[in-house]
Amino acid sequence: MATITGFIEKIKFRNEENGYTIMTVTDQSDGDEVVMVGVLSYAAEGDMIQASGHMTEHPVYGEQLQIESYELKNPEDAASMERYLGSGAIKGIGAAMAARIVRRFKADTFRIMEEEPERLSEIKGISEKMAMAIAEQVQDKKEMRQAMMFLQNYGITLNLAAKIYQEYGPKLYGIIRENPYRLADDIPGVGFKMADEIAQKSGIFTDSDYRVRAGILYVLLQASANGHTYLPKSELFRQASELLKVAPETMDKHLMDMQIDRKLVVKMPVSSDEGGCSDPLVYSAHYYYLELNAARMLHDLNIRGDIPETEIRDNLMKIQQKENIHLDELQEKAVFEAVNSGLLVITGGPGTGKTTTINTIIRYFEAEGMEILLGAPTGRAAKRMTEATGWEARTIHRMLELVPIGMAASGNGSLSSSSSTAGMRFDRNEENPLDADVIIIDEMSMVDISLMHSLLRAVNVGTRLILVGDTDQLPSVGPGNVLKDIINSGCFNVVKLTHIFRQAAQSDIIVNAHRINEGEDVDLSRRSRDFLFIRRDHPDAVISAAITLIQKKLPGYVRAEPDEIQVMTPMRKGALGVERLNQILQEHLNPPSPEKKEREAGGIIYRTGDKVMQIRNNYQLEWETRSSYGIPTDKGAGVFNGDMGIIREINEFAEILTVEFDEGKMVEYSFKQLEELELAYAITIHKSQGSEYPAVIIPMYSGPRMLMTRNLLYTAVTRARSCVCLVGRPDAFYSMASNSAEQERCSGLKARIEEIYKEVSCPE
């Protein structure tokens, strides 16, 4: 057993999850540099450490001390104190200042810093203010070290321990011992299950009030991840009982307290859509008020204009003649309603003329000299809208001027007042509304209640808001059922386009998409230019056919690069799930080579040239576009769930991976952030929403009935612009096309709209 005391010169590696550290330490006894390896709850460069362990010989790195026990110590002699203070460990103290402090106070230096910090101002160059700041740092370092060691006893990682200390400071001891469930509310990255493990180690009882309330909120949070904004009380209690292992009847007493604390809102159903008449509906307060306020704002925007029909007809005739546009009756109705409605919904399937209608509406308002804004939920959808209209479209996030929290500042240096959600804020809101007369939003089926609420806050009453979307597409990834709820409320002007135009009718993609949606038969044996079924009976044969299509057949046929052709599948797991497909497709489409750098993280190999997807919203990630000379031309923040790009560079020295997303947006990921990316040679159909590809390949094989649904198939087919290739078994296709089951979403926007209109029509 060897014991070495010395200064930590450099931390060469640290795993922020488990604290495993490799570092060099200068031995105080002889000045030699020693490599130490072990798990440390907290240590920083400049700290003095006394470590005990066994010396071992590493085949590559040579002799090193395997730490078995250690203690971080305050330097005791003058030379050690001076070295520690001059190491940069204390901000504001350099080598010269450290020498003056130790020369003045000698062995009493650290006691002075902790007990009489004002005396530091006796040193030349240190003001009273600076003296107190130095003392605060010394105390904070001491407290943080103690906190990290305390939290390690509860199995909390270094990364998380640092966040907990920053949030609570010295209060964390009481919180961990009394109510660790607060962590789930306050600390990003801590969920109920982690808080529950900490609570068990703290000796908190299974039926603790804190635990039951946290469990109820956790079940509602999980429900929101599945698209729900509320749960019926009986279903909430059933799920919470399974989670908490407590009887459902013991939970009733908590609902009232949680309502008083404004954590929950409990409502009785107002219609059969909400699933019965006696079971109360339980909302987290956040989502209830999002829906309630969104309903109020929708009502306020729904103003009727009084422009004469003859005037609209004359203007419309001029536009049709000038642009050589021919509208059917429903399209004309949409233009009339757009002119005289504060709020309008235009819906319809592919080929029914939504784009032509939008273009006509744009030309009409352009001729009137109005300010028009176009938006869509994703970058790809906004790009499609721009190409289809010739008018710049932006993502809703960019339209609302997204700024990550901590970056938005007003002129006086304080945070600006703005609409916000976790990790971000929008600078456009009721105090700083969008400067537009007309706002048109496409792909509305993808818009969840949070984004809709933020958008509505930024739309002035009197501005025309036109919402366009296909209600038969998959609903939004986020909670709510916004487009369907607005339409089904029956309170707003809705124009549904149904006529498939002659040019669109020549596309088997469009014709068959409508057949699928209507539950009609599709003839898979029919020869087609753009809707192909390739029979393969085994998963590996399906994959082999997909590779041949991507590498050889489709690029020339649809005039696209191989990385523009997208494989889409219903499942993540299984023989034809996203995870297995991506591993195999990567090996064939972007094989390893000496010229391509790689980085492994979380069991995934990321390689230069790989196609990848962002899998969660990150409002803090910064991007920039660059000129051909590499000079930045634009920058911003925010990379969103479903954004796809190509890995352009992997820098091992800087530990950075660079991805190029749509519109040339370059984003740098630290290696610690790679969990936010996954390979995207194959993606789930859910992730394809709002996107369009030159060609798509859809494996057709058996799978869970709840995933193999008609509207999932419909969504996948309509993502193809020029060609869709279904590869697999015909019976899997027919089974999917006949499965009209859809997961019902518990959303209350429709009910809130109906309540508001009832109040208006029947005031007390």
Side-chain angles (χ1 to χ4, degrees):
M1 179 78 78
T3 299
I4 295 173
T5 302
F7 288 94
I8 299 174
E9 293 286 353
K10 184 169 184 59
I11 293 178
K12 293 186 170 184
F13 171 81
R14 166 171 282 161
N15 184 319
E16 297 293 350
E17 293 299 307
N18 60 25
Y20 180 78
T21 305
I22 302 173
M23 60 189 180
T24 54
V25 174
T26 300
D27 191 336
Q28 195 177 24
S29 63
D30 56 18
D32 287 347
E33 197 170 85
V34 180
V35 176
M36 294 188 182
V37 179
V39 175
L40 284 73
S41 59
Y42 178 79
E45 290 177 1
D47 282 345
M48 176 173 271
I49 187 171
Q50 184 178 77
S52 298
H54 287 90
M55 299 301 298
T56 60
E57 187 74 23
H58 191 279
V60 177
Y61 301 110
E63 191 177 50
Q64 55 191 30
L65 180 73
Q66 291 282 345
I67 299 172
E68 294 177 16
S69 64
Y70 75 95
E71 182 183 356
L72 295 177
K73 304 172 71 69
N74 281 335
E76 293 172 353
D77 61 87
S80 297
M81 290 180 184
E82 184 177 327
R83 178 167 183 168
Y84 172 76
L85 292 174
S87 70
I90 306 297
K91 191 177 177 183
I93 299 181
M97 181 76 74
R100 291 202 296 273
I101 292 172
V102 175
R103 196 161 50 242
R104 173 73 177 83
F105 297 118
K106 300 183 174 59
D108 222 16
T109 296
F110 274 87
R111 188 195 66 77
I112 294 289
M113 284 183 161
E114 291 182 14
E115 297 175 13
E116 303 176 73
E118 66 280 356
R119 288 188 58 191
L120 289 172
S121 61
E122 297 172 16
I123 307 298
K124 183 180 178 183
I126 299 181
S127 64
E128 280 191 27
K129 184 177 180 181
M130 184 179 175
M132 299 312 291
I134 290 169
E136 191 175 323
Q137 282 187 72
V138 171
Q139 184 63 26
D140 195 47
K141 274 182 158 295
K142 181 179 178 181
E143 288 177 356
M144 186 169 186
R145 186 183 303 162
Q146 292 170 345
M148 300 291 263
M149 296 182 78
F150 170 78
L151 292 170
Q152 190 182 35
N153 295 328
Y154 293 90
I156 296 170
T157 66
L158 285 182
N159 242 355
L160 204 50
K163 290 180 185 176
I164 293 169
Y165 180 76
Q166 288 163 10
E167 177 71 23
Y168 300 127
K171 295 178 184 175
L172 70 87
Y173 301 100
I175 290 168
I176 293 292
R177 291 187 180 113
E178 294 168 19
N179 180 19
Y181 297 100
R182 272 189 62 182
L183 274 62
D185 289 338
D186 300 340
I187 311 291
V190 179
F192 169 80
K193 292 190 175 179
M194 184 181 291
D196 205 31
E197 288 176 9
I198 296 168
Q200 287 178 24
K201 291 176 182 175
S202 295
I204 291 173
F205 293 120
T206 304
D207 61 352
S208 155
D209 288 354
Y210 292 133
R211 182 171 186 266
V212 175
R213 291 173 192 176
I216 289 171
L217 289 174
Y218 174 74
V219 170
L220 287 173
L221 178 66
Q222 292 299 103
S224 71
N226 291 321
H228 307 299
T229 58
Y230 69 83
L231 283 178
K233 188 179 86 167
S234 59
E235 179 61 18
L236 171 65
F237 281 9
R238 185 191 67 77
Q239 292 186 31
S241 177
E242 286 182 7
L243 172 73
L244 300 168
K245 302 295 185 281
V246 299
E249 53 268 19
T250 64
M251 298 179 196
D252 250 321
K253 65 180 182 180
H254 297 290
L255 286 190
M256 183 61 71
D257 291 339
M258 294 176 78
Q259 288 180 79
I260 292 170
D261 291 342
R262 299 186 179 182
K263 298 281 189 183
L264 301 180
V265 173
V266 180
K267 296 281 289 184
M268 293 305 295
V270 297
S271 71
S272 59
D273 294 349
E274 294 180 298
C277 300
S278 60
D279 198 5
L281 312 177
V282 185
Y283 293 78
S284 72
H286 173 70
Y287 285 116
Y288 175 78
Y289 287 108
L290 282 181
E291 289 188 332
L292 178 63
N293 292 330
R296 291 190 188 282
M297 290 184 284
L298 287 165
H299 167 269
D300 293 346
L301 288 173
N302 194 25
I303 300 170
R304 191 70 193 165
D306 57 1
I307 298 171
E309 184 177 323
T310 53
E311 181 182 328
I312 300 172
R313 191 171 297 282
D314 288 345
N315 291 340
L316 182 56
M317 188 70 71
K318 292 174 186 175
I319 292 168
Q320 290 189 82
Q321 289 173 349
K322 181 180 178 183
E323 304 289 339
N324 194 27
I325 296 172
H326 302 283
L327 304 183
D328 71 4
E329 186 179 339
L330 287 172
Q331 289 175 304
E332 286 190 358
K333 181 184 178 185
V335 177
F336 275 78
E337 293 292 350
V339 175
N340 266 330
S341 299
L343 179 67
L344 171 66
V345 178
I346 301 173
T347 184
T352 56
K354 293 195 299 293
T355 299
T356 301
T357 306
I358 292 171
N359 279 330
T360 307
I361 291 169
I362 290 170
R363 302 295 173 260
Y364 189 103
F365 289 126
E366 187 181 19
E368 297 291 305
M370 293 186 176
E371 188 70 29
I372 306 164
L373 289 179
L374 305 186
T378 67
R380 283 179 174 263
K383 184 179 179 182
R384 283 177 60 197
M385 199 177 186
T386 299
E387 291 168 351
T389 63
W391 194 277
E392 184 194 5
R394 291 177 286 172
T395 63
I396 299 172
H397 289 87
R398 201 162 187 203
M399 181 189 289
L400 297 179
E401 297 177 16
L402 166 75
V403 183
I405 286 176
M407 290 179 64
S410 57
N412 60 11
S414 63
L415 285 177
S416 59
S417 171
S418 61
S419 170
S420 68
T421 196
M424 67 167 184
R425 65 176 62 241
F426 292 117
D427 275 350
R428 291 290 184 173
N429 54 40
E430 54 276 297
E431 295 175 9
N432 182 29
L434 291 166
D435 185 17
D437 301 299
V438 182
I439 298 171
I440 304 174
I441 306 295
D442 198 9
E443 294 287 357
M444 267 299 300
S445 64
M446 297 179 65
V447 177
D448 63 26
I449 188 59
S450 298
L451 188 56
M452 188 64 184
H453 181 267
S454 296
L455 172 65
L456 291 170
R457 286 187 65 184
V459 180
N460 257 337
V461 174
T463 298
R464 292 174 175 84
L465 179 61
I466 300 169
L467 309 176
V468 184
D470 182 352
T471 56
D472 294 314
Q473 296 284 351
L474 293 170
S476 59
V477 173
N481 213 354
V482 173
L483 182 60
K484 279 190 177 178
D485 280 356
I486 290 173
I487 292 171
N488 293 340
S489 71
C491 297
F492 307 104
N493 293 324
V494 177
V495 177
K496 183 172 184 179
L497 305 177
T498 56
H499 176 68
I500 302 176
F501 286 85
R502 183 171 58 83
Q503 185 176 356
Q506 294 173 356
S507 164
D508 286 333
I509 293 175
I510 291 174
V511 170
N512 287 335
H514 282 276
R515 285 182 173 276
I516 291 166
N517 197 39
E518 297 298 325
E520 298 175 3
D521 288 339
V522 175
D523 183 1
L524 297 181
S525 64
R526 182 174 178 272
R527 293 180 65 84
S528 171
R529 291 176 301 170
D530 60 2
F531 190 94
L532 312 175
F533 194 96
I534 301 168
R535 177 160 188 155
R536 294 291 184 272
D537 289 326
H538 301 287
D540 288 347
V542 171
I543 296 170
S544 178
I547 292 167
T548 300
L549 286 167
I550 295 169
Q551 289 183 321
K552 299 177 181 178
K553 303 290 186 182
L554 286 174
Y557 188 62
V558 298
R559 297 179 184 176
E561 295 298 318
D563 62 23
E564 295 178 280
I565 297 163
Q566 189 60 54
V567 177
M568 300 190 307
T569 180
M571 299 163 289
R572 289 198 59 81
K573 305 287 185 182
L576 289 170
V578 163
E579 293 175 6
R580 181 169 186 258
L581 281 170
N582 271 320
Q583 284 185 343
I584 296 171
L585 292 173
Q586 181 191 43
E587 287 301 303
H588 286 83
L589 303 179
N590 188 32
S593 81
E595 291 78 37
K596 298 174 188 174
K597 291 187 178 179
E598 295 181 355
R599 175 71 183 185
E600 189 274 335
I604 298 174
I605 294 173
Y606 299 93
R607 184 176 296 139
T608 305
D610 272 339
K611 188 174 173 180
V612 291
M613 173 185 282
Q614 174 80 12
I615 59 172
R616 66 184 64 135
N617 290 338
N618 186 328
Y619 306 106
Q620 311 292 333
L621 263 182
E622 297 181 8
W623 55 262
E624 66 179 23
T625 56
R626 302 168 185 170
S627 70
S628 55
Y629 299 102
I631 300 169
T633 56
D634 192 14
K635 64 180 180 179
V639 184
F640 305 107
N641 188 357
D643 286 354
M644 291 171 64
I646 304 292
I647 297 175
R648 295 302 184 197
E649 183 182 359
I650 297 175
N651 187 324
E652 289 283 355
F653 179 76
E655 297 191 343
I656 286 173
L657 181 150
T658 304
V659 178
E660 181 178 359
F661 288 99
D662 284 343
E663 301 173 338
K665 292 179 180 177
M666 309 296 286
V667 178
E668 293 184 346
Y669 292 81
S670 73
F671 285 173
K672 294 176 184 176
Q673 294 174 304
L674 294 185
E675 63 184 18
E676 298 192 16
L677 291 173
E678 67 180 21
L679 296 176
Y681 297 101
I683 62 173
T684 61
I685 296 168
H686 279 89
K687 293 283 190 182
S688 73
Q689 287 174 271
S691 299
E692 187 180 72
Y693 307 95
V696 301
I697 299 168
I698 310 168
M700 284 284 107
Y701 211 71
S702 58
R705 183 169 171 77
M706 63 180 291
L707 287 178
M708 310 295 283
T709 62
R710 179 185 296 169
N711 74 328
L712 202 69
L713 180 59
Y714 171 76
T715 299
V717 167
T718 56
R719 298 307 90 200
R721 182 165 62 244
S722 301
C723 186
V724 60
C725 296
L726 300 117
V727 185
R729 297 167 57 100
D731 59 328
F733 174 88
Y734 290 122
S735 174
M736 204 168 177
S738 64
N739 182 9
S740 59
E742 290 183 41
Q743 184 188 5
E744 290 298 321
R745 285 199 167 190
C746 297
S747 63
L749 180 60
K750 174 178 178 286
R752 303 290 81 78
I753 293 169
E754 290 170 348
E755 284 177 343
I756 287 169
Y757 272 86
K758 189 175 180 181
E759 288 174 14
V760 171
S761 60
C762 304
E764 292 184 4

